[in-house]
Tab-separated table of all heavy atoms in Angstrom:
chain	number	residue	atom	x	y	z
A	57	ASP	N	-11.990	-9.112	6.323
A	57	ASP	CA	-11.727	-10.516	6.018
A	57	ASP	C	-13.044	-11.288	5.995
A	57	ASP	O	-13.803	-11.266	6.970
A	57	ASP	CB	-10.814	-11.131	7.079
A	57	ASP	CG	-9.395	-10.605	7.011
A	57	ASP	OD1	-9.032	-9.994	5.988
A	57	ASP	OD2	-8.645	-10.821	7.983
A	58	PHE	N	-13.271	-11.984	4.879
A	58	PHE	CA	-14.426	-12.867	4.736
A	58	PHE	C	-13.921	-14.305	4.625
A	58	PHE	O	-12.714	-14.548	4.696
A	58	PHE	CB	-15.246	-12.469	3.509
A	58	PHE	CG	-15.720	-11.039	3.532
A	58	PHE	CD1	-14.999	-10.043	2.887
A	58	PHE	CD2	-16.872	-10.684	4.227
A	58	PHE	CE1	-15.432	-8.715	2.911
A	58	PHE	CE2	-17.308	-9.367	4.263
A	58	PHE	CZ	-16.578	-8.379	3.603
A	59	ASN	N	-14.811	-15.246	4.467
A	59	ASN	CA	-14.393	-16.646	4.418
A	59	ASN	C	-13.409	-16.926	3.289
A	59	ASN	O	-12.403	-17.621	3.475
A	59	ASN	CB	-15.614	-17.558	4.262
A	59	ASN	CG	-16.422	-17.674	5.539
A	59	ASN	OD1	-15.881	-17.588	6.634
A	59	ASN	ND2	-17.718	-17.864	5.403
A	60	ASN	N	-13.700	-16.401	2.090
A	60	ASN	CA	-12.933	-16.761	0.904
A	60	ASN	C	-12.053	-15.655	0.350
A	60	ASN	O	-11.263	-15.911	-0.569
A	60	ASN	CB	-13.888	-17.232	-0.202
A	60	ASN	CG	-14.642	-18.480	0.183
A	60	ASN	OD1	-14.075	-19.404	0.774
A	60	ASN	ND2	-15.928	-18.531	-0.129
A	61	VAL	N	-12.177	-14.455	0.866
A	61	VAL	CA	-11.430	-13.336	0.299
A	61	VAL	C	-11.303	-12.230	1.342
A	61	VAL	O	-12.155	-12.096	2.227
A	61	VAL	CB	-12.130	-12.805	-0.975
A	61	VAL	CG1	-13.493	-12.203	-0.644
A	61	VAL	CG2	-11.262	-11.811	-1.729
A	62	SER	N	-10.235	-11.468	1.238
A	62	SER	CA	-10.064	-10.267	2.046
A	62	SER	C	-10.115	-9.059	1.114
A	62	SER	O	-9.508	-9.077	0.037
A	62	SER	CB	-8.720	-10.289	2.785
A	62	SER	OG	-8.699	-11.314	3.756
A	63	ILE	N	-10.829	-8.023	1.528
A	63	ILE	CA	-11.011	-6.831	0.693
A	63	ILE	C	-10.541	-5.617	1.479
A	63	ILE	O	-11.011	-5.377	2.597
A	63	ILE	CB	-12.478	-6.669	0.267
A	63	ILE	CG1	-12.954	-7.915	-0.491
A	63	ILE	CG2	-12.657	-5.408	-0.587
A	63	ILE	CD1	-14.437	-7.897	-0.840
A	64	ALA	N	-9.633	-4.853	0.900
A	64	ALA	CA	-9.072	-3.684	1.572
A	64	ALA	C	-9.453	-2.411	0.826
A	64	ALA	O	-9.594	-2.404	-0.399
A	64	ALA	CB	-7.559	-3.790	1.670
A	65	SER	N	-9.596	-1.348	1.594
A	65	SER	CA	-9.763	0.004	1.056
A	65	SER	C	-8.483	0.772	1.364
A	65	SER	O	-8.078	0.878	2.521
A	65	SER	CB	-10.976	0.694	1.693
A	65	SER	OG	-11.127	2.014	1.205
A	66	ILE	N	-7.852	1.321	0.310
A	66	ILE	CA	-6.525	1.925	0.425
A	66	ILE	C	-6.557	3.342	-0.129
A	66	ILE	O	-7.068	3.577	-1.231
A	66	ILE	CB	-5.483	1.098	-0.342
A	66	ILE	CG1	-5.437	-0.340	0.202
A	66	ILE	CG2	-4.110	1.751	-0.281
A	66	ILE	CD1	-4.622	-1.280	-0.655
A	67	ALA	N	-5.983	4.270	0.618
A	67	ALA	CA	-5.896	5.666	0.174
A	67	ALA	C	-4.428	6.076	0.097
A	67	ALA	O	-3.807	6.401	1.109
A	67	ALA	CB	-6.652	6.595	1.128
A	68	VAL	N	-3.875	6.056	-1.102
A	68	VAL	CA	-2.505	6.541	-1.316
A	68	VAL	C	-2.520	8.067	-1.239
A	68	VAL	O	-3.450	8.706	-1.738
A	68	VAL	CB	-1.977	6.064	-2.680
A	68	VAL	CG1	-0.626	6.686	-2.998
A	68	VAL	CG2	-1.875	4.538	-2.708
A	69	PRO	N	-1.518	8.691	-0.622
A	69	PRO	CA	-1.526	10.151	-0.501
A	69	PRO	C	-1.548	10.860	-1.850
A	69	PRO	O	-0.857	10.462	-2.788
A	69	PRO	CB	-0.219	10.453	0.246
A	69	PRO	CG	0.126	9.201	0.952
A	69	PRO	CD	-0.367	8.086	0.076
A	70	TYR	N	-2.328	11.913	-1.919
A	70	TYR	CA	-2.291	12.833	-3.056
A	70	TYR	C	-1.062	13.715	-2.911
A	70	TYR	O	-0.686	14.092	-1.804
A	70	TYR	CB	-3.559	13.691	-3.060
A	70	TYR	CG	-3.547	14.830	-4.054
A	70	TYR	CD1	-3.805	14.599	-5.402
A	70	TYR	CD2	-3.279	16.130	-3.638
A	70	TYR	CE1	-3.794	15.636	-6.313
A	70	TYR	CE2	-3.273	17.180	-4.540
A	70	TYR	CZ	-3.528	16.927	-5.873
A	70	TYR	OH	-3.516	17.963	-6.776
A	71	ALA	N	-0.418	14.046	-4.014
A	71	ALA	CA	0.822	14.815	-3.921
A	71	ALA	C	0.929	15.823	-5.050
A	71	ALA	O	0.537	15.547	-6.194
A	71	ALA	CB	2.027	13.878	-3.957
A	72	GLN	N	1.476	16.988	-4.715
A	72	GLN	CA	1.813	17.995	-5.725
A	72	GLN	C	3.225	18.534	-5.500
A	72	GLN	O	4.019	18.576	-6.407
A	72	GLN	CB	0.802	19.151	-5.695
A	72	GLN	CG	-0.505	18.861	-6.415
A	72	GLN	CD	-1.363	20.109	-6.556
A	72	GLN	OE1	-1.595	20.822	-5.587
A	72	GLN	NE2	-1.840	20.373	-7.755
A	73	THR	N	3.522	18.952	-4.262
A	73	THR	CA	4.821	19.526	-3.958
A	73	THR	C	5.874	18.436	-3.834
A	73	THR	O	5.565	17.244	-3.723
A	73	THR	CB	4.764	20.328	-2.651
A	73	THR	OG1	4.567	19.418	-1.559
A	73	THR	CG2	3.629	21.343	-2.675
A	74	GLU	N	7.139	18.855	-3.814
A	74	GLU	CA	8.229	17.895	-3.683
A	74	GLU	C	8.126	17.119	-2.378
A	74	GLU	O	8.334	15.893	-2.353
A	74	GLU	CB	9.566	18.634	-3.763
A	74	GLU	CG	10.776	17.709	-3.781
A	74	GLU	CD	12.076	18.457	-4.029
A	74	GLU	OE1	12.033	19.529	-4.661
A	74	GLU	OE2	13.130	17.958	-3.573
A	75	ASP	N	7.821	17.801	-1.283
A	75	ASP	CA	7.678	17.111	0.009
A	75	ASP	C	6.531	16.117	-0.023
A	75	ASP	O	6.633	15.017	0.536
A	75	ASP	CB	7.459	18.130	1.123
A	75	ASP	CG	8.724	18.904	1.472
A	75	ASP	OD1	9.817	18.482	1.048
A	75	ASP	OD2	8.608	19.941	2.159
A	76	GLU	N	5.413	16.503	-0.643
A	76	GLU	CA	4.260	15.601	-0.735
A	76	GLU	C	4.591	14.380	-1.575
A	76	GLU	O	4.141	13.270	-1.275
A	76	GLU	CB	3.061	16.348	-1.311
A	76	GLU	CG	2.455	17.377	-0.367
A	76	GLU	CD	1.399	18.237	-1.037
A	76	GLU	OE1	1.360	18.289	-2.292
A	76	GLU	OE2	0.607	18.867	-0.315
A	77	ILE	N	5.372	14.571	-2.634
A	77	ILE	CA	5.760	13.437	-3.475
A	77	ILE	C	6.635	12.467	-2.684
A	77	ILE	O	6.456	11.239	-2.762
A	77	ILE	CB	6.480	13.930	-4.744
A	77	ILE	CG1	5.487	14.657	-5.653
A	77	ILE	CG2	7.121	12.762	-5.490
A	77	ILE	CD1	6.135	15.397	-6.810
A	78	GLU	N	7.577	12.996	-1.896
A	78	GLU	CA	8.400	12.128	-1.056
A	78	GLU	C	7.538	11.360	-0.053
A	78	GLU	O	7.767	10.176	0.211
A	78	GLU	CB	9.449	12.967	-0.318
A	78	GLU	CG	10.538	13.529	-1.223
A	78	GLU	CD	11.579	14.304	-0.458
A	78	GLU	OE1	11.508	14.328	0.793
A	78	GLU	OE2	12.475	14.889	-1.098
A	79	HIS	N	6.543	12.036	0.507
A	79	HIS	CA	5.605	11.420	1.446
A	79	HIS	C	4.839	10.287	0.764
A	79	HIS	O	4.710	9.184	1.310
A	79	HIS	CB	4.649	12.505	1.944
A	79	HIS	CG	3.662	12.050	2.975
A	79	HIS	ND1	3.995	11.810	4.277
A	79	HIS	CD2	2.320	11.808	2.889
A	79	HIS	CE1	2.927	11.435	4.951
A	79	HIS	NE2	1.900	11.416	4.130
A	80	LYS	N	4.377	10.549	-0.430
A	80	LYS	CA	3.623	9.547	-1.197
A	80	LYS	C	4.495	8.337	-1.527
A	80	LYS	O	4.074	7.183	-1.345
A	80	LYS	CB	3.097	10.190	-2.487
A	80	LYS	CG	2.366	9.253	-3.433
A	80	LYS	CD	1.921	10.006	-4.673
A	80	LYS	CE	1.167	9.142	-5.659
A	80	LYS	NZ	0.726	9.916	-6.853
A	81	LEU	N	5.704	8.577	-1.986
A	81	LEU	CA	6.588	7.470	-2.350
A	81	LEU	C	6.962	6.633	-1.134
A	81	LEU	O	7.115	5.415	-1.236
A	81	LEU	CB	7.843	8.013	-3.040
A	81	LEU	CG	7.627	8.653	-4.418
A	81	LEU	CD1	8.918	9.268	-4.930
A	81	LEU	CD2	7.075	7.640	-5.418
A	82	ALA	N	7.096	7.280	0.014
A	82	ALA	CA	7.389	6.535	1.240
A	82	ALA	C	6.228	5.612	1.604
A	82	ALA	O	6.435	4.464	2.018
A	82	ALA	CB	7.686	7.504	2.380
A	83	PHE	N	5.010	6.108	1.452
A	83	PHE	CA	3.851	5.244	1.718
A	83	PHE	C	3.801	4.087	0.725
A	83	PHE	O	3.515	2.941	1.093
A	83	PHE	CB	2.551	6.046	1.650
A	83	PHE	CG	1.334	5.173	1.797
A	83	PHE	CD1	0.928	4.718	3.040
A	83	PHE	CD2	0.594	4.789	0.674
A	83	PHE	CE1	-0.177	3.886	3.175
A	83	PHE	CE2	-0.513	3.956	0.801
A	83	PHE	CZ	-0.901	3.511	2.062
A	84	LEU	N	4.047	4.380	-0.537
A	84	LEU	CA	4.011	3.330	-1.555
A	84	LEU	C	5.026	2.230	-1.259
A	84	LEU	O	4.759	1.052	-1.520
A	84	LEU	CB	4.255	3.932	-2.937
A	84	LEU	CG	3.092	4.734	-3.533
A	84	LEU	CD1	3.541	5.460	-4.792
A	84	LEU	CD2	1.903	3.836	-3.845
A	85	GLU	N	6.171	2.589	-0.702
A	85	GLU	CA	7.169	1.586	-0.336
A	85	GLU	C	6.628	0.668	0.758
A	85	GLU	O	6.783	-0.559	0.690
A	85	GLU	CB	8.453	2.271	0.131
A	85	GLU	CG	9.522	1.316	0.650
A	85	GLU	CD	9.994	0.307	-0.389
A	85	GLU	OE1	9.939	0.619	-1.600
A	85	GLU	OE2	10.412	-0.799	0.016
A	86	VAL	N	5.978	1.243	1.763
A	86	VAL	CA	5.393	0.443	2.837
A	86	VAL	C	4.279	-0.440	2.291
A	86	VAL	O	4.158	-1.627	2.633
A	86	VAL	CB	4.871	1.354	3.963
A	86	VAL	CG1	4.073	0.557	4.994
A	86	VAL	CG2	6.034	2.066	4.645
A	87	LEU	N	3.443	0.119	1.416
A	87	LEU	CA	2.356	-0.665	0.821
A	87	LEU	C	2.914	-1.805	-0.023
A	87	LEU	O	2.383	-2.929	0.005
A	87	LEU	CB	1.468	0.250	-0.026
A	87	LEU	CG	0.301	-0.424	-0.744
A	87	LEU	CD1	-0.648	-1.104	0.241
A	87	LEU	CD2	-0.469	0.596	-1.598
A	88	GLN	N	3.972	-1.541	-0.759
A	88	GLN	CA	4.575	-2.595	-1.578
A	88	GLN	C	5.068	-3.757	-0.723
A	88	GLN	O	4.860	-4.931	-1.069
A	88	GLN	CB	5.730	-2.029	-2.404
A	88	GLN	CG	6.331	-3.044	-3.368
A	88	GLN	CD	7.424	-2.441	-4.208
A	88	GLN	OE1	8.599	-2.508	-3.841
A	88	GLN	NE2	7.066	-1.841	-5.339
A	89	GLN	N	5.713	-3.455	0.390
A	89	GLN	CA	6.178	-4.514	1.281
A	89	GLN	C	5.002	-5.320	1.831
A	89	GLN	O	5.080	-6.546	1.966
A	89	GLN	CB	7.004	-3.924	2.423
A	89	GLN	CG	8.311	-3.280	1.973
A	89	GLN	CD	9.182	-4.215	1.144
A	89	GLN	OE1	9.389	-5.379	1.506
A	89	GLN	NE2	9.684	-3.715	0.028
A	90	HIS	N	3.911	-4.627	2.134
A	90	HIS	CA	2.721	-5.323	2.623
A	90	HIS	C	2.139	-6.234	1.538
A	90	HIS	O	1.725	-7.363	1.828
A	90	HIS	CB	1.671	-4.305	3.069
A	90	HIS	CG	0.431	-4.927	3.631
A	90	HIS	ND1	0.377	-5.486	4.893
A	90	HIS	CD2	-0.812	-5.112	3.086
A	90	HIS	CE1	-0.829	-5.985	5.101
A	90	HIS	NE2	-1.560	-5.770	4.025
A	91	MET	N	2.116	-5.749	0.308
A	91	MET	CA	1.595	-6.563	-0.796
A	91	MET	C	2.438	-7.819	-0.989
A	91	MET	O	1.914	-8.903	-1.277
A	91	MET	CB	1.539	-5.726	-2.073
A	91	MET	CG	0.524	-4.585	-2.001
A	91	MET	SD	0.595	-3.447	-3.411
A	91	MET	CE	-0.394	-4.346	-4.616
A	92	LYS	N	3.737	-7.685	-0.827
A	92	LYS	CA	4.610	-8.859	-0.935
A	92	LYS	C	4.269	-9.887	0.145
A	92	LYS	O	4.237	-11.098	-0.118
A	92	LYS	CB	6.070	-8.438	-0.812
A	92	LYS	CG	6.607	-7.682	-2.010
A	92	LYS	CD	8.062	-7.265	-1.784
A	92	LYS	CE	8.617	-6.519	-2.969
A	92	LYS	NZ	10.019	-6.066	-2.749
A	93	LYS	N	4.008	-9.406	1.356
A	93	LYS	CA	3.662	-10.312	2.449
A	93	LYS	C	2.350	-11.045	2.167
A	93	LYS	O	2.221	-12.237	2.449
A	93	LYS	CB	3.550	-9.541	3.760
A	93	LYS	CG	4.868	-9.005	4.289
A	93	LYS	CD	4.648	-8.199	5.566
A	93	LYS	CE	5.943	-7.594	6.070
A	93	LYS	NZ	5.712	-6.745	7.276
A	94	THR	N	1.381	-10.337	1.616
A	94	THR	CA	0.088	-10.972	1.361
A	94	THR	C	0.192	-12.074	0.313
A	94	THR	O	-0.568	-13.045	0.355
A	94	THR	CB	-0.964	-9.943	0.897
A	94	THR	OG1	-0.571	-9.373	-0.361
A	94	THR	CG2	-1.145	-8.837	1.914
A	95	ARG	N	1.134	-11.940	-0.601
A	95	ARG	CA	1.274	-12.961	-1.639
A	95	ARG	C	1.782	-14.278	-1.060
A	95	ARG	O	1.675	-15.314	-1.712
A	95	ARG	CB	2.218	-12.461	-2.740
A	95	ARG	CG	1.657	-11.296	-3.536
A	95	ARG	CD	0.466	-11.706	-4.418
A	95	ARG	NE	0.914	-12.539	-5.523
A	95	ARG	CZ	0.548	-13.784	-5.724
A	95	ARG	NH1	-0.280	-14.390	-4.878
A	95	ARG	NH2	0.984	-14.457	-6.763
A	96	ARG	N	2.323	-14.234	0.144
A	96	ARG	CA	2.799	-15.462	0.782
A	96	ARG	C	1.713	-16.150	1.609
A	96	ARG	O	1.935	-17.232	2.147
A	96	ARG	CB	4.018	-15.161	1.656
A	96	ARG	CG	5.230	-14.643	0.885
A	96	ARG	CD	6.492	-14.696	1.720
A	96	ARG	NE	6.504	-13.701	2.775
A	96	ARG	CZ	7.031	-12.486	2.654
A	96	ARG	NH1	7.572	-12.115	1.505
A	96	ARG	NH2	7.026	-11.639	3.658
A	97	LYS	N	0.552	-15.503	1.677
A	97	LYS	CA	-0.539	-16.060	2.479
A	97	LYS	C	-1.465	-16.903	1.609
A	97	LYS	O	-1.594	-16.670	0.413
A	97	LYS	CB	-1.325	-14.928	3.151
A	97	LYS	CG	-0.497	-14.129	4.140
A	97	LYS	CD	-1.316	-13.044	4.801
A	97	LYS	CE	-0.479	-12.259	5.797
A	97	LYS	NZ	-1.268	-11.180	6.452
A	98	ARG	N	-2.114	-17.845	2.249
A	98	ARG	CA	-3.038	-18.719	1.518
A	98	ARG	C	-4.439	-18.131	1.541
A	98	ARG	O	-5.395	-18.749	2.010
A	98	ARG	CB	-3.022	-20.123	2.122
A	98	ARG	CG	-1.693	-20.831	1.960
A	98	ARG	CD	-1.730	-22.232	2.532
A	98	ARG	NE	-0.466	-22.933	2.331
A	98	ARG	CZ	-0.216	-24.162	2.737
A	98	ARG	NH1	-1.160	-24.836	3.394
A	98	ARG	NH2	0.949	-24.721	2.518
């Protein structure tokens, strides 16, 4: 967090197998909810 902007580094899981894809999609759901929350911030 800086005075005028916040900058994040994000690593979405790499996936190949079916289990890995489910793992990746679960993370993306959590990240999406977080992105929605940030849009409500000033």
Side-chain angles (χ1 to χ4, degrees):
D57 290 345
F58 303 95
N59 286 329
N60 297 319
V61 65
S62 293
I63 302 175
S65 179
I66 301 170
V68 173
Y70 171 79
Q72 280 190 310
T73 68
E74 186 173 333
D75 287 346
E76 289 172 342
I77 291 170
E78 290 182 5
H79 183 75
K80 176 181 181 179
L81 293 174
F83 175 79
L84 286 171
E85 175 61 28
V86 172
L87 179 60
Q88 185 178 93
Q89 294 306 313
H90 182 75
M91 294 172 83
K92 289 178 180 178
K93 291 178 183 177
T94 64
R95 293 291 289 118
R96 297 194 288 268
K97 296 181 180 180
R98 294 182 178 180

